Amino acid sequence: MTLLFHTPLSPDQQLQHGIDVPQTLAMADRVRFSELDILNHVNNKAYLDWFEVSRVAYFNQFCAPHFADGPAPRNVLRNADVHYVKEMQLDETYIATTQVVSFRRTSYVFEQQIWSTDLRCRMRGVMVLRSPDGGSGYPFPDSLIEFWRHNEGAQHEA
């Protein structure tokens, strides 16, 4: 099966390309020469770039529509924990995934993964929503909370 780049992959497509549990968002790309380090494997920073692209696409596709009736919040990365599992090489294809696992009133925890036949890297982080001026937290609309609970099994953290 041909791997479609820069296009959200269906759960079936994800399974066919080695992802063990389909994620809400999964998009494929290929390792570029500019992403290599002096040892000719992917530089650690490249993984962070791939995760950012996936995280932004996830927010724009699944979260932003829930804020359409008001001003758009600031979506801020608070912290992240990255685990590099296995190196990658030039021209390898990969799939970057993003999914929300839990949330509070104005923050959410997400998990991201990079797959290339097998798991290569994973990251878990916290995003915080701030008001447009950045002065206060920005609560999630009920519709977004329902989306996370129903579609991703995300849990509310007290």
Side-chain angles (χ1 to χ4, degrees), residues 58-59 63-64 66-67 71-78 100 103-109 126-141 144 148:
Y58 175 94
F59 188 84
C63 301
H66 296 274
F67 296 96
R74 291 185 184 185
N75 193 29
V76 180
L77 178 63
R78 180 180 176 273
V100 171
F103 58 91
R104 292 186 174 185
R105 192 176 76 82
T106 63
S107 66
Y108 59 96
V109 175
V126 176
M127 297 297 291
V128 178
L129 260 57
R130 304 294 296 169
S131 61
D133 67 2
S136 61
Y138 199 120
F140 299 117
L144 181 53
W148 284 335

PDB file of all heavy atoms in Angstrom, residues 58-59 63-64 66-67 71-78 100 103-109 126-141 144 148:
ATOM      1  N   TYR A  58      -3.068  18.797  14.544  1.00  0.00           N
ATOM      2  CA  TYR A  58      -4.087  18.232  15.429  1.00  0.00           C
ATOM      3  C   TYR A  58      -4.966  19.349  15.993  1.00  0.00           C
ATOM      4  O   TYR A  58      -6.195  19.280  15.942  1.00  0.00           O
ATOM      5  CB  TYR A  58      -3.432  17.443  16.576  1.00  0.00           C
ATOM      6  CG  TYR A  58      -4.434  16.947  17.585  1.00  0.00           C
ATOM      7  CD1 TYR A  58      -4.972  15.676  17.473  1.00  0.00           C
ATOM      8  CD2 TYR A  58      -4.875  17.758  18.627  1.00  0.00           C
ATOM      9  CE1 TYR A  58      -5.925  15.224  18.373  1.00  0.00           C
ATOM     10  CE2 TYR A  58      -5.821  17.327  19.526  1.00  0.00           C
ATOM     11  CZ  TYR A  58      -6.342  16.053  19.401  1.00  0.00           C
ATOM     12  OH  TYR A  58      -7.298  15.627  20.286  1.00  0.00           O
ATOM     13  N   PHE A  59      -4.329  20.389  16.553  1.00  0.00           N
ATOM     14  CA  PHE A  59      -5.108  21.478  17.163  1.00  0.00           C
ATOM     15  C   PHE A  59      -5.988  22.153  16.115  1.00  0.00           C
ATOM     16  O   PHE A  59      -7.175  22.393  16.356  1.00  0.00           O
ATOM     17  CB  PHE A  59      -4.195  22.505  17.839  1.00  0.00           C
ATOM     18  CG  PHE A  59      -4.978  23.523  18.622  1.00  0.00           C
ATOM     19  CD1 PHE A  59      -5.389  23.254  19.915  1.00  0.00           C
ATOM     20  CD2 PHE A  59      -5.331  24.731  18.045  1.00  0.00           C
ATOM     21  CE1 PHE A  59      -6.146  24.170  20.637  1.00  0.00           C
ATOM     22  CE2 PHE A  59      -6.089  25.655  18.757  1.00  0.00           C
ATOM     23  CZ  PHE A  59      -6.492  25.383  20.050  1.00  0.00           C
ATOM     24  N   CYS A  63      -9.387  20.799  17.447  1.00  0.00           N
ATOM     25  CA  CYS A  63      -9.677  21.673  18.588  1.00  0.00           C
ATOM     26  C   CYS A  63     -10.196  23.044  18.171  1.00  0.00           C
ATOM     27  O   CYS A  63     -11.198  23.519  18.710  1.00  0.00           O
ATOM     28  CB  CYS A  63      -8.431  21.853  19.455  1.00  0.00           C
ATOM     29  SG  CYS A  63      -7.783  20.307  20.119  1.00  0.00           S
ATOM     30  N   ALA A  64      -9.525  23.693  17.236  1.00  0.00           N
ATOM     31  CA  ALA A  64      -9.868  25.065  16.854  1.00  0.00           C
ATOM     32  C   ALA A  64     -11.342  25.247  16.478  1.00  0.00           C
ATOM     33  O   ALA A  64     -11.940  26.265  16.860  1.00  0.00           O
ATOM     34  CB  ALA A  64      -8.957  25.543  15.731  1.00  0.00           C
ATOM     35  N   HIS A  66     -13.890  24.170  17.799  1.00  0.00           N
ATOM     36  CA  HIS A  66     -14.703  24.293  19.010  1.00  0.00           C
ATOM     37  C   HIS A  66     -14.639  25.706  19.601  1.00  0.00           C
ATOM     38  O   HIS A  66     -15.396  26.023  20.509  1.00  0.00           O
ATOM     39  CB  HIS A  66     -14.260  23.270  20.053  1.00  0.00           C
ATOM     40  CG  HIS A  66     -14.475  21.858  19.607  1.00  0.00           C
ATOM     41  ND1 HIS A  66     -15.671  21.187  19.784  1.00  0.00           N
ATOM     42  CD2 HIS A  66     -13.654  20.999  18.960  1.00  0.00           C
ATOM     43  CE1 HIS A  66     -15.578  19.968  19.275  1.00  0.00           C
ATOM     44  NE2 HIS A  66     -14.358  19.826  18.772  1.00  0.00           N
ATOM     45  N   PHE A  67     -13.731  26.527  19.104  1.00  0.00           N
ATOM     46  CA  PHE A  67     -13.593  27.902  19.570  1.00  0.00           C
ATOM     47  C   PHE A  67     -14.115  28.905  18.537  1.00  0.00           C
ATOM     48  O   PHE A  67     -13.878  30.105  18.656  1.00  0.00           O
ATOM     49  CB  PHE A  67     -12.119  28.211  19.884  1.00  0.00           C
ATOM     50  CG  PHE A  67     -11.564  27.395  21.005  1.00  0.00           C
ATOM     51  CD1 PHE A  67     -10.849  26.229  20.749  1.00  0.00           C
ATOM     52  CD2 PHE A  67     -11.753  27.769  22.332  1.00  0.00           C
ATOM     53  CE1 PHE A  67     -10.329  25.467  21.783  1.00  0.00           C
ATOM     54  CE2 PHE A  67     -11.244  27.008  23.375  1.00  0.00           C
ATOM     55  CZ  PHE A  67     -10.539  25.859  23.097  1.00  0.00           C
ATOM     56  N   PRO A  71     -13.077  34.353  20.563  1.00  0.00           N
ATOM     57  CA  PRO A  71     -11.685  34.600  20.171  1.00  0.00           C
ATOM     58  C   PRO A  71     -10.848  33.332  20.319  1.00  0.00           C
ATOM     59  O   PRO A  71     -11.070  32.521  21.206  1.00  0.00           O
ATOM     60  CB  PRO A  71     -11.223  35.688  21.139  1.00  0.00           C
ATOM     61  CG  PRO A  71     -12.151  35.584  22.303  1.00  0.00           C
ATOM     62  CD  PRO A  71     -13.457  35.064  21.775  1.00  0.00           C
ATOM     63  N   ALA A  72      -9.890  33.182  19.437  1.00  0.00           N
ATOM     64  CA  ALA A  72      -9.016  32.004  19.461  1.00  0.00           C
ATOM     65  C   ALA A  72      -8.057  32.083  20.650  1.00  0.00           C
ATOM     66  O   ALA A  72      -7.496  33.145  20.926  1.00  0.00           O
ATOM     67  CB  ALA A  72      -8.235  31.915  18.170  1.00  0.00           C
ATOM     68  N   PRO A  73      -7.876  30.969  21.360  1.00  0.00           N
ATOM     69  CA  PRO A  73      -6.943  30.965  22.487  1.00  0.00           C
ATOM     70  C   PRO A  73      -5.499  30.858  22.016  1.00  0.00           C
ATOM     71  O   PRO A  73      -5.233  30.491  20.876  1.00  0.00           O
ATOM     72  CB  PRO A  73      -7.343  29.696  23.252  1.00  0.00           C
ATOM     73  CG  PRO A  73      -7.832  28.782  22.176  1.00  0.00           C
ATOM     74  CD  PRO A  73      -8.526  29.673  21.183  1.00  0.00           C
ATOM     75  N   ARG A  74      -4.590  31.177  22.910  1.00  0.00           N
ATOM     76  CA  ARG A  74      -3.181  30.864  22.693  1.00  0.00           C
ATOM     77  C   ARG A  74      -2.971  29.440  23.178  1.00  0.00           C
ATOM     78  O   ARG A  74      -3.417  29.076  24.262  1.00  0.00           O
ATOM     79  CB  ARG A  74      -2.283  31.806  23.490  1.00  0.00           C
ATOM     80  CG  ARG A  74      -2.289  33.220  23.004  1.00  0.00           C
ATOM     81  CD  ARG A  74      -1.275  34.031  23.773  1.00  0.00           C
ATOM     82  NE  ARG A  74      -1.320  35.424  23.380  1.00  0.00           N
ATOM     83  CZ  ARG A  74      -0.466  36.323  23.828  1.00  0.00           C
ATOM     84  NH1 ARG A  74       0.480  35.984  24.684  1.00  0.00           N
ATOM     85  NH2 ARG A  74      -0.561  37.567  23.428  1.00  0.00           N
ATOM     86  N   ASN A  75      -2.289  28.631  22.398  1.00  0.00           N
ATOM     87  CA  ASN A  75      -2.044  27.230  22.712  1.00  0.00           C
ATOM     88  C   ASN A  75      -0.543  27.097  22.986  1.00  0.00           C
ATOM     89  O   ASN A  75       0.252  27.163  22.064  1.00  0.00           O
ATOM     90  CB  ASN A  75      -2.485  26.362  21.533  1.00  0.00           C
ATOM     91  CG  ASN A  75      -2.560  24.910  21.861  1.00  0.00           C
ATOM     92  OD1 ASN A  75      -2.802  24.517  22.987  1.00  0.00           O
ATOM     93  ND2 ASN A  75      -2.356  24.088  20.858  1.00  0.00           N
ATOM     94  N   VAL A  76      -0.162  26.929  24.251  1.00  0.00           N
ATOM     95  CA  VAL A  76       1.235  27.037  24.669  1.00  0.00           C
ATOM     96  C   VAL A  76       1.761  25.695  25.177  1.00  0.00           C
ATOM     97  O   VAL A  76       1.144  25.069  26.047  1.00  0.00           O
ATOM     98  CB  VAL A  76       1.373  28.096  25.790  1.00  0.00           C
ATOM     99  CG1 VAL A  76       2.811  28.229  26.235  1.00  0.00           C
ATOM    100  CG2 VAL A  76       0.807  29.427  25.339  1.00  0.00           C
ATOM    101  N   LEU A  77       2.910  25.280  24.655  1.00  0.00           N
ATOM    102  CA  LEU A  77       3.576  24.084  25.159  1.00  0.00           C
ATOM    103  C   LEU A  77       4.202  24.412  26.510  1.00  0.00           C
ATOM    104  O   LEU A  77       5.063  25.278  26.606  1.00  0.00           O
ATOM    105  CB  LEU A  77       4.645  23.610  24.173  1.00  0.00           C
ATOM    106  CG  LEU A  77       5.470  22.394  24.582  1.00  0.00           C
ATOM    107  CD1 LEU A  77       4.586  21.158  24.718  1.00  0.00           C
ATOM    108  CD2 LEU A  77       6.579  22.152  23.565  1.00  0.00           C
ATOM    109  N   ARG A  78       3.757  23.731  27.559  1.00  0.00           N
ATOM    110  CA  ARG A  78       4.278  23.974  28.907  1.00  0.00           C
ATOM    111  C   ARG A  78       5.514  23.132  29.189  1.00  0.00           C
ATOM    112  O   ARG A  78       6.506  23.592  29.697  1.00  0.00           O
ATOM    113  CB  ARG A  78       3.198  23.680  29.948  1.00  0.00           C
ATOM    114  CG  ARG A  78       3.666  23.916  31.367  1.00  0.00           C
ATOM    115  CD  ARG A  78       2.551  23.605  32.367  1.00  0.00           C
ATOM    116  NE  ARG A  78       3.038  23.742  33.712  1.00  0.00           N
ATOM    117  CZ  ARG A  78       3.646  22.788  34.400  1.00  0.00           C
ATOM    118  NH1 ARG A  78       3.863  21.611  33.851  1.00  0.00           N
ATOM    119  NH2 ARG A  78       4.043  22.991  35.628  1.00  0.00           N
ATOM    120  N   VAL A 100      -4.800  13.249  22.497  1.00  0.00           N
ATOM    121  CA  VAL A 100      -4.955  13.783  23.858  1.00  0.00           C
ATOM    122  C   VAL A 100      -5.352  12.643  24.777  1.00  0.00           C
ATOM    123  O   VAL A 100      -6.221  11.835  24.447  1.00  0.00           O
ATOM    124  CB  VAL A 100      -6.002  14.917  23.886  1.00  0.00           C
ATOM    125  CG1 VAL A 100      -6.342  15.321  25.308  1.00  0.00           C
ATOM    126  CG2 VAL A 100      -5.480  16.115  23.104  1.00  0.00           C
ATOM    127  N   PHE A 103      -7.111  15.851  30.457  1.00  0.00           N
ATOM    128  CA  PHE A 103      -7.282  17.298  30.430  1.00  0.00           C
ATOM    129  C   PHE A 103      -7.729  17.798  31.797  1.00  0.00           C
ATOM    130  O   PHE A 103      -8.229  17.032  32.626  1.00  0.00           O
ATOM    131  CB  PHE A 103      -8.306  17.702  29.363  1.00  0.00           C
ATOM    132  CG  PHE A 103      -9.653  17.075  29.566  1.00  0.00           C
ATOM    133  CD1 PHE A 103     -10.637  17.695  30.309  1.00  0.00           C
ATOM    134  CD2 PHE A 103      -9.929  15.821  29.037  1.00  0.00           C
ATOM    135  CE1 PHE A 103     -11.872  17.094  30.512  1.00  0.00           C
ATOM    136  CE2 PHE A 103     -11.153  15.203  29.228  1.00  0.00           C
ATOM    137  CZ  PHE A 103     -12.129  15.853  29.977  1.00  0.00           C
ATOM    138  N   ARG A 104      -7.511  19.068  32.005  1.00  0.00           N
ATOM    139  CA  ARG A 104      -8.031  19.799  33.164  1.00  0.00           C
ATOM    140  C   ARG A 104      -8.906  20.915  32.621  1.00  0.00           C
ATOM    141  O   ARG A 104      -9.417  20.805  31.522  1.00  0.00           O
ATOM    142  CB  ARG A 104      -6.881  20.325  34.015  1.00  0.00           C
ATOM    143  CG  ARG A 104      -6.109  19.204  34.703  1.00  0.00           C
ATOM    144  CD  ARG A 104      -5.084  19.764  35.638  1.00  0.00           C
ATOM    145  NE  ARG A 104      -4.467  18.672  36.391  1.00  0.00           N
ATOM    146  CZ  ARG A 104      -3.610  18.857  37.353  1.00  0.00           C
ATOM    147  NH1 ARG A 104      -3.243  20.083  37.701  1.00  0.00           N
ATOM    148  NH2 ARG A 104      -3.097  17.829  37.993  1.00  0.00           N
ATOM    149  N   ARG A 105      -9.036  21.993  33.362  1.00  0.00           N
ATOM    150  CA  ARG A 105      -9.899  23.095  32.929  1.00  0.00           C
ATOM    151  C   ARG A 105      -9.305  23.889  31.766  1.00  0.00           C
ATOM    152  O   ARG A 105     -10.008  24.267  30.835  1.00  0.00           O
ATOM    153  CB  ARG A 105     -10.172  24.030  34.114  1.00  0.00           C
ATOM    154  CG  ARG A 105     -11.267  25.039  33.883  1.00  0.00           C
ATOM    155  CD  ARG A 105     -11.544  25.860  35.118  1.00  0.00           C
ATOM    156  NE  ARG A 105     -10.535  26.869  35.359  1.00  0.00           N
ATOM    157  CZ  ARG A 105     -10.492  28.064  34.755  1.00  0.00           C
ATOM    158  NH1 ARG A 105     -11.415  28.380  33.894  1.00  0.00           N
ATOM    159  NH2 ARG A 105      -9.534  28.917  35.030  1.00  0.00           N
ATOM    160  N   THR A 106      -7.977  24.131  31.803  1.00  0.00           N
ATOM    161  CA  THR A 106      -7.332  24.944  30.765  1.00  0.00           C
ATOM    162  C   THR A 106      -6.058  24.292  30.210  1.00  0.00           C
ATOM    163  O   THR A 106      -5.292  24.945  29.506  1.00  0.00           O
ATOM    164  CB  THR A 106      -6.974  26.343  31.304  1.00  0.00           C
ATOM    165  OG1 THR A 106      -6.025  26.205  32.372  1.00  0.00           O
ATOM    166  CG2 THR A 106      -8.200  27.087  31.796  1.00  0.00           C
ATOM    167  N   SER A 107      -5.814  23.033  30.525  1.00  0.00           N
ATOM    168  CA  SER A 107      -4.618  22.354  30.022  1.00  0.00           C
ATOM    169  C   SER A 107      -4.959  20.923  29.619  1.00  0.00           C
ATOM    170  O   SER A 107      -5.952  20.366  30.083  1.00  0.00           O
ATOM    171  CB  SER A 107      -3.508  22.344  31.077  1.00  0.00           C
ATOM    172  OG  SER A 107      -3.887  21.558  32.191  1.00  0.00           O
ATOM    173  N   TYR A 108      -4.127  20.370  28.749  1.00  0.00           N
ATOM    174  CA  TYR A 108      -4.322  18.979  28.349  1.00  0.00           C
ATOM    175  C   TYR A 108      -2.983  18.290  28.173  1.00  0.00           C
ATOM    176  O   TYR A 108      -1.972  18.918  27.884  1.00  0.00           O
ATOM    177  CB  TYR A 108      -5.176  18.862  27.081  1.00  0.00           C
ATOM    178  CG  TYR A 108      -4.662  19.552  25.849  1.00  0.00           C
ATOM    179  CD1 TYR A 108      -3.923  18.851  24.886  1.00  0.00           C
ATOM    180  CD2 TYR A 108      -4.943  20.886  25.607  1.00  0.00           C
ATOM    181  CE1 TYR A 108      -3.477  19.466  23.739  1.00  0.00           C
ATOM    182  CE2 TYR A 108      -4.504  21.516  24.453  1.00  0.00           C
ATOM    183  CZ  TYR A 108      -3.774  20.806  23.517  1.00  0.00           C
ATOM    184  OH  TYR A 108      -3.335  21.425  22.370  1.00  0.00           O
ATOM    185  N   VAL A 109      -3.009  16.976  28.387  1.00  0.00           N
ATOM    186  CA  VAL A 109      -1.827  16.137  28.218  1.00  0.00           C
ATOM    187  C   VAL A 109      -1.993  15.383  26.902  1.00  0.00           C
ATOM    188  O   VAL A 109      -3.054  14.818  26.635  1.00  0.00           O
ATOM    189  CB  VAL A 109      -1.673  15.143  29.391  1.00  0.00           C
ATOM    190  CG1 VAL A 109      -0.501  14.194  29.154  1.00  0.00           C
ATOM    191  CG2 VAL A 109      -1.529  15.897  30.708  1.00  0.00           C
ATOM    192  N   VAL A 126       2.462  18.645  27.997  1.00  0.00           N
ATOM    193  CA  VAL A 126       1.318  19.394  28.507  1.00  0.00           C
ATOM    194  C   VAL A 126       1.183  20.686  27.709  1.00  0.00           C
ATOM    195  O   VAL A 126       2.165  21.425  27.544  1.00  0.00           O
ATOM    196  CB  VAL A 126       1.487  19.732  30.003  1.00  0.00           C
ATOM    197  CG1 VAL A 126       0.329  20.598  30.496  1.00  0.00           C
ATOM    198  CG2 VAL A 126       1.604  18.455  30.826  1.00  0.00           C
ATOM    199  N   MET A 127      -0.013  20.924  27.213  1.00  0.00           N
ATOM    200  CA  MET A 127      -0.346  22.174  26.536  1.00  0.00           C
ATOM    201  C   MET A 127      -1.289  22.957  27.440  1.00  0.00           C
ATOM    202  O   MET A 127      -2.149  22.375  28.105  1.00  0.00           O
ATOM    203  CB  MET A 127      -1.047  21.907  25.201  1.00  0.00           C
ATOM    204  CG  MET A 127      -0.216  21.160  24.184  1.00  0.00           C
ATOM    205  SD  MET A 127       1.264  22.006  23.626  1.00  0.00           S
ATOM    206  CE  MET A 127       0.568  23.345  22.684  1.00  0.00           C
ATOM    207  N   VAL A 128      -1.117  24.277  27.459  1.00  0.00           N
ATOM    208  CA  VAL A 128      -1.952  25.160  28.261  1.00  0.00           C
ATOM    209  C   VAL A 128      -2.614  26.161  27.332  1.00  0.00           C
ATOM    210  O   VAL A 128      -1.949  26.764  26.488  1.00  0.00           O
ATOM    211  CB  VAL A 128      -1.109  25.895  29.324  1.00  0.00           C
ATOM    212  CG1 VAL A 128      -1.968  26.854  30.126  1.00  0.00           C
ATOM    213  CG2 VAL A 128      -0.416  24.893  30.237  1.00  0.00           C
ATOM    214  N   LEU A 129      -3.915  26.342  27.492  1.00  0.00           N
ATOM    215  CA  LEU A 129      -4.623  27.361  26.727  1.00  0.00           C
ATOM    216  C   LEU A 129      -4.677  28.647  27.541  1.00  0.00           C
ATOM    217  O   LEU A 129      -5.017  28.626  28.729  1.00  0.00           O
ATOM    218  CB  LEU A 129      -6.047  26.904  26.402  1.00  0.00           C
ATOM    219  CG  LEU A 129      -6.223  26.351  24.990  1.00  0.00           C
ATOM    220  CD1 LEU A 129      -5.300  25.193  24.725  1.00  0.00           C
ATOM    221  CD2 LEU A 129      -7.642  26.008  24.723  1.00  0.00           C
ATOM    222  N   ARG A 130      -4.307  29.733  26.882  1.00  0.00           N
ATOM    223  CA  ARG A 130      -4.306  31.050  27.497  1.00  0.00           C
ATOM    224  C   ARG A 130      -5.266  31.946  26.727  1.00  0.00           C
ATOM    225  O   ARG A 130      -5.530  31.725  25.543  1.00  0.00           O
ATOM    226  CB  ARG A 130      -2.900  31.667  27.474  1.00  0.00           C
ATOM    227  CG  ARG A 130      -1.821  30.829  28.126  1.00  0.00           C
ATOM    228  CD  ARG A 130      -2.001  30.660  29.611  1.00  0.00           C
ATOM    229  NE  ARG A 130      -1.880  31.960  30.287  1.00  0.00           N
ATOM    230  CZ  ARG A 130      -2.196  32.168  31.554  1.00  0.00           C
ATOM    231  NH1 ARG A 130      -2.663  31.183  32.284  1.00  0.00           N
ATOM    232  NH2 ARG A 130      -2.064  33.340  32.100  1.00  0.00           N
ATOM    233  N   SER A 131      -5.762  32.973  27.399  1.00  0.00           N
ATOM    234  CA  SER A 131      -6.625  33.952  26.750  1.00  0.00           C
ATOM    235  C   SER A 131      -5.848  34.634  25.623  1.00  0.00           C
ATOM    236  O   SER A 131      -4.613  34.593  25.605  1.00  0.00           O
ATOM    237  CB  SER A 131      -7.103  34.980  27.777  1.00  0.00           C
ATOM    238  OG  SER A 131      -5.997  35.658  28.340  1.00  0.00           O
ATOM    239  N   PRO A 132      -6.538  35.268  24.681  1.00  0.00           N
ATOM    240  CA  PRO A 132      -5.840  35.906  23.561  1.00  0.00           C
ATOM    241  C   PRO A 132      -4.750  36.897  23.984  1.00  0.00           C
ATOM    242  O   PRO A 132      -3.734  37.018  23.311  1.00  0.00           O
ATOM    243  CB  PRO A 132      -6.964  36.605  22.794  1.00  0.00           C
ATOM    244  CG  PRO A 132      -8.162  35.743  23.067  1.00  0.00           C
ATOM    245  CD  PRO A 132      -7.989  35.311  24.505  1.00  0.00           C
ATOM    246  N   ASP A 133      -4.940  37.582  25.117  1.00  0.00           N
ATOM    247  CA  ASP A 133      -3.911  38.521  25.584  1.00  0.00           C
ATOM    248  C   ASP A 133      -2.852  37.832  26.442  1.00  0.00           C
ATOM    249  O   ASP A 133      -1.884  38.459  26.869  1.00  0.00           O
ATOM    250  CB  ASP A 133      -4.529  39.688  26.331  1.00  0.00           C
ATOM    251  CG  ASP A 133      -5.181  39.284  27.655  1.00  0.00           C
ATOM    252  OD1 ASP A 133      -5.129  38.086  28.040  1.00  0.00           O
ATOM    253  OD2 ASP A 133      -5.751  40.169  28.323  1.00  0.00           O
ATOM    254  N   GLY A 134      -3.031  36.541  26.705  1.00  0.00           N
ATOM    255  CA  GLY A 134      -2.069  35.771  27.488  1.00  0.00           C
ATOM    256  C   GLY A 134      -2.191  35.966  28.987  1.00  0.00           C
ATOM    257  O   GLY A 134      -1.424  35.390  29.752  1.00  0.00           O
ATOM    258  N   GLY A 135      -3.156  36.752  29.435  1.00  0.00           N
ATOM    259  CA  GLY A 135      -3.249  37.112  30.843  1.00  0.00           C
ATOM    260  C   GLY A 135      -3.907  36.098  31.754  1.00  0.00           C
ATOM    261  O   GLY A 135      -3.753  36.170  32.969  1.00  0.00           O
ATOM    262  N   SER A 136      -4.634  35.135  31.193  1.00  0.00           N
ATOM    263  CA  SER A 136      -5.324  34.166  32.051  1.00  0.00           C
ATOM    264  C   SER A 136      -5.547  32.862  31.296  1.00  0.00           C
ATOM    265  O   SER A 136      -5.385  32.794  30.077  1.00  0.00           O
ATOM    266  CB  SER A 136      -6.676  34.744  32.511  1.00  0.00           C
ATOM    267  OG  SER A 136      -7.499  35.001  31.394  1.00  0.00           O
ATOM    268  N   GLY A 137      -5.955  31.831  32.042  1.00  0.00           N
ATOM    269  CA  GLY A 137      -6.285  30.555  31.424  1.00  0.00           C
ATOM    270  C   GLY A 137      -7.541  30.682  30.582  1.00  0.00           C
ATOM    271  O   GLY A 137      -8.367  31.570  30.791  1.00  0.00           O
ATOM    272  N   TYR A 138      -7.665  29.803  29.628  1.00  0.00           N
ATOM    273  CA  TYR A 138      -8.802  29.823  28.704  1.00  0.00           C
ATOM    274  C   TYR A 138      -9.491  28.464  28.799  1.00  0.00           C
ATOM    275  O   TYR A 138      -8.981  27.461  28.287  1.00  0.00           O
ATOM    276  CB  TYR A 138      -8.272  30.060  27.296  1.00  0.00           C
ATOM    277  CG  TYR A 138      -9.286  30.549  26.279  1.00  0.00           C
ATOM    278  CD1 TYR A 138      -9.108  31.754  25.635  1.00  0.00           C
ATOM    279  CD2 TYR A 138     -10.400  29.785  25.931  1.00  0.00           C
ATOM    280  CE1 TYR A 138     -10.004  32.195  24.673  1.00  0.00           C
ATOM    281  CE2 TYR A 138     -11.296  30.215  24.987  1.00  0.00           C
ATOM    282  CZ  TYR A 138     -11.090  31.433  24.357  1.00  0.00           C
ATOM    283  OH  TYR A 138     -11.987  31.852  23.408  1.00  0.00           O
ATOM    284  N   PRO A 139     -10.665  28.385  29.454  1.00  0.00           N
ATOM    285  CA  PRO A 139     -11.336  27.086  29.651  1.00  0.00           C
ATOM    286  C   PRO A 139     -11.781  26.451  28.331  1.00  0.00           C
ATOM    287  O   PRO A 139     -12.101  27.138  27.366  1.00  0.00           O
ATOM    288  CB  PRO A 139     -12.558  27.441  30.502  1.00  0.00           C
ATOM    289  CG  PRO A 139     -12.261  28.777  31.083  1.00  0.00           C
ATOM    290  CD  PRO A 139     -11.367  29.481  30.112  1.00  0.00           C
ATOM    291  N   PHE A 140     -11.804  25.131  28.324  1.00  0.00           N
ATOM    292  CA  PHE A 140     -12.237  24.383  27.149  1.00  0.00           C
ATOM    293  C   PHE A 140     -13.751  24.440  27.016  1.00  0.00           C
ATOM    294  O   PHE A 140     -14.473  24.299  28.009  1.00  0.00           O
ATOM    295  CB  PHE A 140     -11.822  22.913  27.247  1.00  0.00           C
ATOM    296  CG  PHE A 140     -10.343  22.722  27.332  1.00  0.00           C
ATOM    297  CD1 PHE A 140      -9.779  22.157  28.464  1.00  0.00           C
ATOM    298  CD2 PHE A 140      -9.519  23.097  26.291  1.00  0.00           C
ATOM    299  CE1 PHE A 140      -8.414  21.980  28.554  1.00  0.00           C
ATOM    300  CE2 PHE A 140      -8.153  22.926  26.372  1.00  0.00           C
ATOM    301  CZ  PHE A 140      -7.599  22.371  27.508  1.00  0.00           C
ATOM    302  N   PRO A 141     -14.261  24.556  25.799  1.00  0.00           N
ATOM    303  CA  PRO A 141     -15.700  24.439  25.587  1.00  0.00           C
ATOM    304  C   PRO A 141     -16.151  22.994  25.870  1.00  0.00           C
ATOM    305  O   PRO A 141     -15.387  22.043  25.669  1.00  0.00           O
ATOM    306  CB  PRO A 141     -15.893  24.778  24.113  1.00  0.00           C
ATOM    307  CG  PRO A 141     -14.590  25.241  23.594  1.00  0.00           C
ATOM    308  CD  PRO A 141     -13.537  24.847  24.573  1.00  0.00           C
ATOM    309  N   LEU A 144     -15.558  20.423  23.092  1.00  0.00           N
ATOM    310  CA  LEU A 144     -14.209  19.869  22.938  1.00  0.00           C
ATOM    311  C   LEU A 144     -13.968  18.784  23.980  1.00  0.00           C
ATOM    312  O   LEU A 144     -13.406  17.722  23.672  1.00  0.00           O
ATOM    313  CB  LEU A 144     -13.151  20.968  23.051  1.00  0.00           C
ATOM    314  CG  LEU A 144     -11.697  20.519  22.894  1.00  0.00           C
ATOM    315  CD1 LEU A 144     -11.478  19.737  21.604  1.00  0.00           C
ATOM    316  CD2 LEU A 144     -10.770  21.733  22.968  1.00  0.00           C
ATOM    317  N   TRP A 148     -12.956  14.875  23.178  1.00  0.00           N
ATOM    318  CA  TRP A 148     -11.838  14.138  23.768  1.00  0.00           C
ATOM    319  C   TRP A 148     -12.308  12.882  24.488  1.00  0.00           C
ATOM    320  O   TRP A 148     -11.705  11.823  24.366  1.00  0.00           O
ATOM    321  CB  TRP A 148     -11.060  15.023  24.725  1.00  0.00           C
ATOM    322  CG  TRP A 148     -10.171  16.013  24.046  1.00  0.00           C
ATOM    323  CD1 TRP A 148      -9.628  15.921  22.797  1.00  0.00           C
ATOM    324  CD2 TRP A 148      -9.709  17.242  24.585  1.00  0.00           C
ATOM    325  NE1 TRP A 148      -8.852  17.022  22.532  1.00  0.00           N
ATOM    326  CE2 TRP A 148      -8.881  17.845  23.619  1.00  0.00           C
ATOM    327  CE3 TRP A 148      -9.910  17.899  25.800  1.00  0.00           C
ATOM    328  CZ2 TRP A 148      -8.265  19.078  23.824  1.00  0.00           C
ATOM    329  CZ3 TRP A 148      -9.288  19.123  26.000  1.00  0.00           C
ATOM    330  CH2 TRP A 148      -8.475  19.697  25.015  1.00  0.00           C
TER     331      TRP A 148
END
